């Protein structure tokens, strides 16, 4: 996962996932301009394995996170961002600075499938558990990247057990995915959520907190 080589930054003139725009408008009589991107909405799934009392999350290399760290140490990499030439890194940072812990998730790019059906596909592909739509509980939806994309993410909760595991997960290599499945024990989950030495998304922190407030009390009663 962390054997990253031949890094180079160059202009992005087209993308299957991002479309940049500039909006001009007038607000309360003041003329304004705002740059934004359109991208896909997404789903994410908080997975709890009842057999071993642990959360199932994914760990993967995120180029955007990595390049945020690179810019701190090598700001010159972005100096030619508007030119045809590109900048390469001869001595890049270790890839681990771009690895994050996240909920199982995926973009909404299949109009013939419901959000729940897409979520089930992602759980199987990324984490190896076969679940049905009936196994999903919708927690909520929210806007992410409100300053840049404004896309909507819908968060689900699913309980699984060892018998529902049909593969090792890991995503789809043919689509360039390289995902590691990680289990976080329930008793260590809140410590993990706020431990900044483990880079993670806000979805992990929020969903773990939601679980402890809404699901954990019922587990204690059992």
């Amino acid at each position: 996962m962390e054997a990253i080589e031949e890094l180079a930054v160059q202009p992005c003139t087209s993308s299957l996932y991002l479309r940049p725009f500039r909006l001009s408008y007038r607000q309360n009589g003041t003329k304004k301009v705002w740059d934004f991107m359109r991208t896909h909405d997404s789903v994410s799934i908080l997975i709890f394995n009842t057999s071993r009392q642990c959360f199932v999350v994914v760990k993967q290399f995120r180029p955007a996170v990595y390049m945020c760290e690179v810019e701190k140490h090598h700001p010159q990499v972005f100096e030619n961002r508007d030119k045809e030439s590109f900048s390469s890194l001869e001595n890049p940072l270790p890839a681990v600075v771009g690895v994050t812990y996240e909920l199982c998730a995926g973009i909404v790019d299949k109009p013939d499938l419901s959000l729940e059906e897409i979520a089930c596909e992602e759980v199987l592909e990324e984490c190896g558990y076969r679940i049905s739509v009936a196994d999903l509980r919708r927690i909520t939806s929210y806007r992410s990247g409100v300053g840049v994309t404004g896309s909507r993410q819908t968060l689900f909760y699913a309980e699984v057990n060892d018998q529902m595991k049909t593969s090792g997960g890991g995503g789809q290599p043919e689509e360039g995915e390289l995902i590691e499945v990680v289990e976080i024990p329930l008793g260590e989950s809140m410590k993990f959520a706020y431990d900044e030495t483990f880079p993670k998304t806000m979805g992990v922190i929020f969903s773990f907190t939601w679980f402890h407030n809404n699901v954990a009390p019922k587990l204690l009663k059992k």
Side-chain angles (χ1 to χ4, degrees), residues 7-164:
L7 287 161
V9 180
Q10 55 195 94
C12 178
T13 56
S14 65
S15 171
L16 295 175
Y17 306 103
L18 300 173
R19 291 177 292 148
F21 295 94
R22 175 165 293 171
L23 177 70
S24 60
Y25 62 103
R26 190 176 297 276
Q27 183 177 18
N28 291 350
T30 301
K31 189 171 179 59
K32 295 185 176 182
V33 174
W34 193 269
D35 296 338
F36 68 99
M37 289 190 179
R38 287 297 300 123
T39 187
H40 293 285
D41 289 340
S42 61
V43 296
S44 60
I45 310 95
L46 172 64
I47 305 171
F48 183 70
N49 185 311
T50 57
S51 298
R52 292 194 300 283
Q53 297 289 290
C54 67
F55 294 105
V56 181
V57 300
V58 297
K59 180 182 177 184
Q60 56 187 319
F61 176 79
R62 289 298 194 180
V65 175
Y66 180 81
M67 293 310 295
C68 283
E69 295 299 316
V70 167
E71 188 174 20
K72 293 178 182 178
H73 297 83
H74 304 285
Q76 74 278 4
V77 171
F78 290 92
E79 290 177 358
N80 293 325
R81 62 185 182 277
D82 297 322
K83 301 178 182 179
E84 290 301 320
S85 60
F86 62 87
S87 300
S88 59
L89 279 176
E90 296 182 0
N91 298 301
L93 297 177
V96 68
V97 303
V99 174
T100 61
Y101 294 84
E102 311 169 17
L103 296 179
C104 172
I107 60 174
V108 178
D109 62 348
K110 299 174 181 176
D112 56 324
L113 298 182
S114 67
L115 295 180
E116 289 79 6
E117 289 170 327
I118 293 175
C120 290
E121 284 191 350
E122 294 300 333
V123 171
L124 179 60
E125 292 172 4
E126 294 191 358
C127 300
Y129 292 92
R130 187 175 298 280
I131 66 172
S132 68
V133 168
D135 296 319
L136 290 170
R137 172 180 174 182
R138 180 178 176 134
I139 298 177
T140 189
S141 66
Y142 44 82
R143 297 288 181 177
S144 58
V146 292
V148 181
T149 67
S151 59
R152 180 187 296 276
Q153 183 166 95
T154 302
L155 173 62
F156 295 97
Y157 170 65
E159 292 184 355
V160 300
N161 56 52
D162 289 345
Q163 287 68 45
M164 297 166 70

Side-chain angles (χ1 to χ4, degrees), residues 155-194:
L155 173 62
F156 295 97
Y157 170 65
E159 292 184 355
V160 300
N161 56 52
D162 289 345
Q163 287 68 45
M164 297 166 70
K165 193 169 181 66
T166 61
S167 73
Q172 295 181 306
E174 66 273 15
E175 294 184 3
E177 291 183 325
L178 183 58
I179 295 172
E180 179 182 342
V181 182
V182 179
E183 296 183 344
I184 309 296
L186 175 59
E188 301 173 14
S189 58
M190 291 313 297
K191 179 181 178 181
F192 171 84
Y194 290 98

